[in-house]
Amino acid sequence: MSRRIIYYAGKEYWEPETKKWLNANSVPKDNTLVAHGKTGAELWLGLNDLMVAAKTGLSLSLGSETIKTRIACWYPVLLGTTLGAVTNLADITKYTGSIVGGVTIDESGMQGNGTNGRMNTNCSMFLAKDHTSITATSTSLHVLSKTNNNALMCDIGVIDNGAGTQYDMAIYTRNGGNLITRLGSSGVNNSTTMADSLGFFSTSRRSSGQYKQLKGGSVVATITQAANTGNFNREFLTVGALNNDGSVIQFSSRKLVHPIYADGWTDAEVLAVYNAISTFETFLGR
Amino acid sequence: MKKIALLTPQQFRLLNNFEYAPYKYFGPSVAPDGSHFISEEEINDYEGEEFAWIKDLPLIEYSTELPDTTVPEMTGYGVHVPDECFKPEINLFPNNQFELNGFVMTFTPYSGGMAVDLAYFQWEAFRQEQLKPMASPTKVTFTTLWDTLYQKYLNQEIIAL
């Protein structure tokens, strides 16, 4: 792995998001803490590599807090702690998650009990639109599932009917043998045959007329479906369940990491971030 | 099988959205039958004193699998149901039906009043649903009547419908 410690005028430099996230989680830049089998110093390097690769893939400049212009929330779920699960890597000042109900958190990820456990992101499209590029026709969801099963479990999602016209966003990594997504429609599930529920699943909309389903950075299907434009979800996006207009249902028992809510990504951008996360996960050994 | 602990509505209100540890909230939920519960994981995770009573709540198994609610074929024979159950001022069984978590039992009118077909007594899934711990409020009302009717069946107090 390349080590991207950037030096400005001979001074060690870290991407600010990396620095803030690790400081917020009290990860020292030495070997006094070991998590994921890595020292604190190694975690600094690994997370910084991830951030540099993600920013590069999303064509964002390095050296300043640019990731938050395109990503509202990104939870890498690290350290095996509650704080490490709820801290938003895109912007630690916003959308700190809330663990609700039965959720097990360890170094391998967070896993709801399938009964009432989930993470509330405290983030809605209505809030995110004000400080990101997210719009009703430019939005994406992503999540990395580490559990293989086939059941009606929503891994990340929200439905909002409060503004009059419903706007749905959701990923079910596998149910009935299909990857099921919703993105901008009203109550319509889009299903594509899926062999397992393991890996990095994405759904990304960059136009009013269609959106894409992706797995592992590769396009699985292009869905021709108009977005309900002009509406912004006020309900909070939920990880590990579906927030159905205020009533949380379809709880997932899959182990999840890297849930991301962002603006619409191109195929190449999804692939680049997938590769960055994949490299990081390999580094962590999980 | 997942395990949960049933809550009273008051306990539900006490726990709902309570932050019991930094960034961790109780998530008391409502089961399909309308009962309130929290999960075994939350109970085990809680280390405080204010709600230490949750550690004493009995755990029961919880499944989201749907039982077979297909109504059995009617026999044409039944037992009489006390007339007071159908007095308009009581209206114990609107539309002459009893519903429990997707199970629907329809009383049969006959010349002597209302009856329950014997087929319902053979409906094992319906009986099991009545006996679930989450159906305890039902026990107080319907199941007591049901047991009385079942006893009539055992006593051969059977009528043609």
Side-chain angles (χ1 to χ4, degrees), chain A residues 36 58 62 75 111 116 164 169-170 216 219:
Chain A
H36 306 277
L58 293 171
L62 302 178
Y75 306 94
Q111 187 167 25
N116 71 341
M169 301 189 291
V219 176

Side-chain angles (χ1 to χ4, degrees), chain A residues 82-83 86 96-105 112-116 118 251 253, chain B residues 2 4 17 20 22-29 37-42 45 62 64:
Chain A
T82 303
L83 186 60
V86 301
T96 300
S98 302
I99 302 296
V100 184
V103 178
T104 302
I105 298 167
N113 57 7
T115 305
N116 71 341
R118 73 277 193 182
F251 297 94
S253 62
Chain B
K2 295 292 181 186
I4 61 169
N17 285 324
Y20 67 87
Y23 313 109
K24 286 180 157 180
Y25 296 77
F26 286 122
S29 301
F37 70 89
I38 57 171
S39 66
E40 180 182 26
E41 291 86 354
E42 292 161 272
D45 196 40
Y62 178 77
T64 54

Side-chain angles (χ1 to χ4, degrees), chain B residues 11 15 27 30 33 41 48 54-55 61 63 83 97 106 116 119 143 148 152 154-155 158:
Chain B
Q11 290 169 332
L15 298 179
V30 181
D33 66 356
E41 291 86 354
I54 65 173
K55 302 282 187 183
E61 291 189 340
S63 172
D83 295 338
Q97 287 185 330
T106 305
V116 58
T143 308
T148 304
K152 283 187 178 184
L154 295 177
N155 294 342
I158 298 170

Side-chain angles (χ1 to χ4, degrees), chain B residues 68-85:
Chain B
D68 181 2
T69 57
T70 308
V71 176
E73 189 175 342
M74 296 296 105
T75 65
Y77 294 91
V79 295
H80 178 77
V81 183
D83 295 338
E84 54 266 33
C85 293

Side-chain angles (χ1 to χ4, degrees), chain B residues 112-133:
Chain B
M114 297 294 284
V116 58
D117 194 286
L118 299 185
Y120 289 111
F121 294 123
Q122 308 298 327
W123 198 8
E124 189 59 27
F126 179 50
R127 180 63 174 170
Q128 291 304 315
E129 193 69 17
Q130 291 179 45
L131 297 177
K132 282 183 177 177

Side-chain angles (χ1 to χ4, degrees), chain A residues 187-262:
Chain A
V188 180
N189 286 325
N190 296 116
S191 304
T192 303
T193 301
M194 185 53 59
D196 58 50
S197 63
L198 293 169
F200 188 68
F201 292 85
S202 305
T203 183
S204 180
R205 178 183 285 277
R206 299 184 68 249
S207 74
S208 60
Q210 67 176 39
Y211 76 92
K212 293 185 179 181
Q213 298 174 326
L214 305 96
K215 182 187 179 188
S218 299
V219 176
V220 172
T222 299
I223 310 296
T224 301
Q225 188 175 62
N228 290 328
T229 56
N231 298 287
F232 298 100
N233 275 359
R234 291 170 188 260
E235 290 288 340
F236 292 147
L237 180 67
T238 298
V239 178
L242 177 70
N243 176 2
N244 184 12
D245 205 22
S247 176
V248 185
I249 59 173
Q250 297 170 347
F251 297 94
S252 175
S253 62
R254 298 187 180 105
K255 183 165 288 184
L256 305 171
V257 294
H258 296 287
I260 298 172
Y261 174 38

